[in-house]
Amino acid sequence: HSFGDLEPGATPSSPQLNKLMHQAMATVNHLLHDLEKDKGEKRILPKKATRNVTLAALLIEEVTKRLTIEFSLNPSEVGSKMEGVPIKDTMLSDMCPDIESAFCFPHKYRTINGECNNVKNPTWGITGAAYLRILQPMYQDGVGSPRDSGVNGPLGDALYISSRVLRERDVPHEHLTGLTAIWGQLVSHDIAYTLPISGYS
């Protein structure tokens, strides 16, 4: 198989995608079951809406992995080729929000989840939305695995590199305190709520 230039005949049809998605859903449900089981008897499960977003994200990743294998895609071309895969009339179209139908009126106060804060682009910056990328991601498999090698061979261990770049020194400041960093974390985590596997940390 080949995506070619993503011509209509080169992309999977909706029935083919649905079949693949149902197979992938079994894997995703198994993963979620294991995550929930690890919490034990007194686990606090995430809210339904959060779990649905997590489910959709994991399904998209699993389907992308399977399509990458099925069509023998190189890691460097996965992102561009996947943009042309139509999800209309598949189970994913029911899970993904209809951005085009979103419509808002201006409000006096901004919403806590970012929805409709920009009335022309009501979904910009909302909770659960993916961050925009300046550059294409460079995963080892083109989907989600961290890179372990570069053009010049194996990549260094992240902990080793950070210890070399950010050398630890104890230089007390006259009036600044470590609480500044903690406050920054509070603000950052408040406005930058991401959902890698939300609710299953």
Side-chain angles (χ1 to χ4, degrees):
H1 295 111
S2 172
F3 266 87
D5 294 324
L6 282 180
E7 295 173 353
T11 58
S13 65
S14 294
Q16 288 174 317
L17 278 175
N18 262 327
K19 182 179 178 182
L20 195 65
M21 287 176 189
H22 281 289
Q23 294 169 350
M25 183 64 88
T27 302
V28 170
N29 281 327
H30 184 71
L31 173 62
L32 289 180
H33 174 74
D34 288 346
L35 287 167
E36 292 170 353
K37 189 173 65 174
D38 287 345
K39 290 293 184 180
E41 291 181 9
K42 296 183 179 179
R43 66 185 183 272
I44 299 175
L45 296 179
K47 294 180 179 178
K48 185 176 181 181
T50 303
R51 192 182 191 280
N52 288 345
V53 171
T54 300
L55 184 66
L58 291 173
L59 179 61
I60 290 168
E61 184 174 1
E62 183 63 27
V63 168
T64 302
K65 286 178 183 177
R66 290 169 184 249
L67 285 172
T68 300
I69 295 169
E70 178 77 15
F71 289 90
S72 304
L73 298 178
N74 293 323
S76 60
E77 61 182 351
V78 171
S80 60
K81 298 295 186 185
M82 289 301 139
E83 288 178 1
V85 176
I87 64 167
K88 189 176 181 182
D89 299 324
T90 68
M91 62 189 305
L92 260 182
S93 63
D94 297 329
M95 300 172 77
C96 296
D98 185 4
I99 294 176
E100 293 180 359
S101 66
F103 182 77
C104 298
F105 289 103
H107 292 283
K108 182 177 181 180
Y109 300 107
R110 292 174 179 258
T111 58
I112 191 67
N113 69 348
E115 189 175 6
C116 294
N117 287 346
N118 182 327
V119 294
K120 290 185 178 178
N121 302 284
T123 59
W124 281 12
I126 63 171
T127 299
Y131 289 131
L132 294 176
R133 293 182 181 270
I134 297 174
L135 299 173
Q136 284 290 325
M138 296 181 66
Y139 296 116
Q140 187 70 24
D141 61 355
V143 182
S145 300
R147 287 194 307 148
D148 56 22
S149 61
V151 291
N152 297 321
L155 294 174
D157 177 78
L159 184 59
Y160 171 78
I161 293 172
S162 65
S163 67
R164 302 291 291 177
V165 174
L166 305 170
R167 296 188 180 276
E168 196 170 318
R169 294 183 302 154
D170 185 15
V171 185
H173 198 275
E174 292 180 2
H175 61 272
L176 294 180
T177 167
L179 286 173
T180 306
I182 296 171
W183 173 251
Q185 285 281 285
L186 174 68
V187 174
S188 171
H189 291 179
D190 184 49
I191 66 174
Y193 180 56
T194 58
L195 297 164
I197 303 185
S198 185
Y200 300 98
S201 56

